[in-house]
Amino acid sequence: MNFQGSRRRGEDGIAMVIDFLLSNAQLVLGVGGAAVLGIATLAVKRLIERAGRAADDEKEKQKMAESWEELSLVSASPTLIKKGIEGVVMKHIAKATRQQKAELSQQPQTPSPEVSSKPESKSKRLQVCVRSLQLFHHTRAALAPAEVRRAQSLAVDICSEIQGFLHSRLPDMPLGEMSLGGSLLDDLQVVSADHACLLVPLQLEASLWRLIPGEETLLTHPLHWMVRRVNLEYFPKGLSYWDRYLVGSYLSAEAVVNMFSKAVMETINWPSISSTMDCLVRPVLGGPDLRLEIRPGNEDGTESGDQPLFISMLPVLREEDVVLTAQPELTSPWVNAWHLSLYPWENQRLTQLDATDDGRRRHTLKTLKAVCRLNPSLRPLGAAPLANLVLHLSDSESDWSEISLDVRFQQCITELIGYLERGALHSYFKPAVNLLSGLSEDQVDQMGFMLYCAVSEPEILLI
């Protein structure tokens, strides 16, 4: 195994391979297979140690090389582990056991220097992890205030342009005040300030519409709510502006998104707005969402090489603490379904917990988000599973002070491995929702492989 940023090979590299094989065994082979694999792996480890001590023996060197070749093939991919892990290690069991007995009878027992230096090595590793975490958060997770202000300013300008256009073009459309939302506003964005969310609140008449929880609909999905038109016998269709977007007796999220796509994305004179804002603004067409791309422009009107900013336009419905969003990409194929956003609840809960004990839960969440975004194997893990991971861990761990962040970070890795093994990470506020259900088997394999390695070498996630 050769991880970028690793400073050691040899015994630490071997230990990492062995730890991964043992940890992943129960997931792949079951309890019985894990026990057999544990014995086999221990035999291989001792074989390698003997080969290192007998470096002057050419036969032992050859055995060492062959062992490394086979072990590298095993550890190269979780898929290979599934197919041939037992065959690779079992070839050495009988040979290693016989050699072990012979050597034990011939060599005197001496204390291993590896054992005596273990506590010191572990302490040093923890210190390195703490420094690496601090540096990683400062350079990768935390954004420069100037960068955040620039992105927010561009998003606010676009918000004003769109709201002004809708008021003049569709003055009878009942909309609330548009505003920014999401991670850019809540200081939870990491790596770069490259996306923002523009909330477009729809105003519904309370006597004509009813929000129905997902559990009470035919869909029975906790996050797929519906909005029913009620009191039709007293207030027939046509009295509400939003009646024109009914499908059956329900307000269609897909129809609302299509309306905004035509009214805003395909109608506004974006070149004119680009010249006003001194940047290039263009809609991203063809997708299920409403998205704009903003690129800083040069004085001659051409694109600059700076990071683009993507702004998502999100129609929302609010009733007390419930926020429903029109996101067909999340509720497809149900055209009438509205997505229940748990983000406001999760963010509010994390903020309250940190305010209560001066904790660093949001700090830890930003570090985890940056780790996953920068690591291709972990990239499929979005912000929602990581936020719920921290919330669940907060129920059992009360110390989230700055001096404990390294322990909490390593604990998050261990907990995440457990959730991947079970194939389920339940939402903190909606336990019936499995936040890992969208991951493929191959994605779980790749994540598990990387996280198992990070248990003994956390720094591989912080490079």
Side-chain angles (χ1 to χ4, degrees), residues 105-323:
S105 62
Q106 295 174 6
Q107 297 179 2
Q109 296 293 329
T110 57
S112 172
E114 180 183 345
V115 176
S116 60
S117 63
K118 208 170 200 179
E120 182 181 352
S121 174
K122 184 177 181 181
S123 175
K124 186 178 295 185
R125 181 177 296 174
L126 287 176
Q127 293 174 6
V128 172
C129 182
V130 171
R131 291 196 299 269
S132 299
L133 269 174
Q134 294 172 344
L135 181 62
F136 181 85
H137 182 85
H138 178 71
T139 58
R140 312 306 293 272
L143 301 180
E147 181 183 3
V148 175
R149 286 194 299 269
R150 170 187 165 278
Q152 290 179 344
S153 176
L154 288 173
V156 169
D157 290 343
I158 287 292
C159 177
S160 301
E161 293 286 348
I162 294 177
Q163 184 154 328
F165 174 82
L166 287 175
H167 282 332
S168 61
R169 182 71 180 265
L170 302 168
D172 57 336
M173 181 185 292
L175 295 175
E177 193 72 18
M178 297 184 190
S179 61
L180 295 184
S183 59
L184 182 64
L185 183 67
D186 298 325
D187 189 30
L188 286 175
Q189 200 156 133
V190 298
V191 182
S192 62
D194 57 2
H195 61 280
C197 188
L198 173 58
L199 303 180
V200 185
L202 280 57
Q203 294 182 334
L204 301 180
E205 299 87 350
S207 59
L208 302 183
W209 302 93
R210 181 190 166 203
L211 275 57
I212 305 176
E215 296 89 343
E216 299 178 14
T217 68
L218 293 176
L219 305 180
T220 66
H221 193 297
L223 300 185
H224 293 174
W225 286 41
M226 302 184 78
V227 182
R228 179 189 294 164
R229 178 67 157 85
V230 296
N231 294 328
L232 286 171
E233 61 274 21
Y234 304 108
F235 305 100
K237 291 182 180 179
L239 292 181
S240 173
Y241 177 89
W242 303 107
D243 283 343
R244 63 193 74 181
Y245 306 110
L246 286 174
V247 174
S249 299
Y250 299 92
L251 180 62
S252 170
E254 185 175 279
V256 170
V257 169
N258 291 337
M259 178 272 294
F260 278 113
S261 179
K262 294 178 181 178
V264 177
M265 300 295 165
E266 301 177 12
T267 306
I268 291 182
N269 187 347
W270 296 113
S272 175
I273 293 179
S274 298
S275 61
T276 302
M277 296 179 58
D278 293 327
C279 58
L280 298 175
V281 183
R282 56 194 174 198
V284 180
L285 302 176
D289 56 346
L290 306 169
R291 184 181 299 185
L292 294 171
E293 179 185 4
I294 303 178
R295 286 186 177 272
N298 297 319
E299 293 181 358
D300 58 358
T302 60
E303 295 182 13
S304 69
D306 294 341
Q307 177 77 29
L309 173 67
F310 291 93
I311 298 180
S312 296
M313 186 176 172
L314 202 59
V316 299
L317 297 172
R318 289 194 179 99
E319 186 177 277
E320 298 178 353
D321 64 339
V322 172
V323 177

Side-chain angles (χ1 to χ4, degrees), residues 361-426:
R361 295 169 183 82
R362 284 162 50 89
H363 180 108
T364 304
L365 174 59
K366 291 180 67 173
T367 301
L368 292 171
K369 288 176 63 176
V371 164
C372 292
R373 181 170 176 179
L374 294 172
N375 191 307
S377 298
L378 302 177
R379 200 165 293 158
L381 274 177
L386 298 176
N388 284 267
L389 169 67
V390 175
L391 286 172
H392 284 301
L393 190 56
S394 296
D395 285 344
S396 57
E397 298 293 343
S398 59
D399 184 7
W400 289 82
S401 61
E402 190 168 358
I403 60 175
S404 302
L405 287 184
D406 59 316
V407 179
R408 296 289 88 83
F409 178 76
Q410 294 182 355
Q411 214 170 354
C412 285
I413 295 175
T414 305
E415 291 291 318
L416 190 53
I417 290 173
Y419 289 126
L420 289 172
E421 287 179 343
R422 294 189 293 272
L425 170 54
H426 298 287

Side-chain angles (χ1 to χ4, degrees), residues 74-100:
V74 175
S75 59
S77 168
T79 305
L80 293 179
I81 290 173
K82 286 184 176 181
K83 293 181 179 179
I85 193 170
E86 291 178 279
V88 171
V89 295
M90 289 298 290
K91 289 171 61 177
H92 296 287
I93 291 179
K95 204 179 292 184
T97 305
R98 288 195 300 268
Q99 292 179 7
Q100 180 190 14

